[in-house]
Structures are given as C-alpha cells and as structure tokens.
Amino acid sequence: GTNHYQRNFIRVSFPYNENTVKTIREFGAKNQAEWAQWNADEKVWMFSLTEGSVWWLGNNLLPQGFVADDEFLDHFEQLGQLF
C-alpha cells in the first residue's frame, strides 16, 4: 500500500484485504475528530489530515508493510517526539 497527501487528505491504497478494511472502518467509527472514507472513483481510502489520523495510520498500517511518502513520515516522526 501507499500513502499520499492531496490537499487536506491522506490517501491510502492497497490490494483489497477484508481485515484491513474492517480495521479502517472501526477507526472511523471510534474517532469522531478524524474520518476515513472510501473513494470509489479513485479506489483509495481518504483520511482526514489530522494528528489522530497520522498517528493511527503510522501505528496500524506501517507495521503491516505499508509504504509512506517522506511527507507522511516527517509528520509521523514529529508526532512521535510529542508522545
């Protein structure tokens, strides 16, 4: 999978995996300040560009082998220094 920033979104794409989709849906349901939405036209998940989304993605998807761009990794690293 990959992560890309576009405007105020984080774009996440990956080959369909039912467990990953379930995890993303649970994230969206449990976190009112953040959101995750499927974009059927582009076939990507769109996440809010927020600290909560960056922290969640970095801790939940990167360990699964997702690849992130440098901008995402910079944000994630900066958050890691705060927590």
Side-chain angles (χ1 to χ4, degrees):
T2 57
N3 295 336
H4 297 286
Y5 282 84
Q6 181 184 47
R7 299 186 196 109
N8 293 324
F9 306 107
I10 303 168
R11 296 164 38 101
V12 179
S13 63
F14 54 92
Y16 180 78
N17 178 300
E18 188 174 342
N19 289 333
T20 303
V21 170
K22 181 181 176 187
T23 301
I24 290 171
R25 287 188 174 141
E26 289 172 355
F27 164 77
K30 292 178 184 176
N31 297 281
Q32 295 179 356
E34 284 79 39
W35 53 265
Q37 181 177 356
W38 173 247
N39 181 323
D41 293 335
E42 296 184 35
K43 296 188 175 12
V44 297
W45 282 92
M46 307 292 281
F47 286 79
S48 54
L49 179 53
T50 60
E51 289 179 356
S53 290
V54 170
W55 188 247
W56 186 87
L57 287 164
N59 284 296
N60 289 278
L61 297 188
L62 290 182
Q64 293 183 35
F66 278 67
V67 176
D69 64 18
D70 290 339
E71 186 175 355
F72 178 87
L73 293 174
D74 288 344
H75 284 289
F76 184 61
E77 183 179 319
Q78 289 173 13
L79 284 176
Q81 293 171 6
L82 296 175
F83 295 109

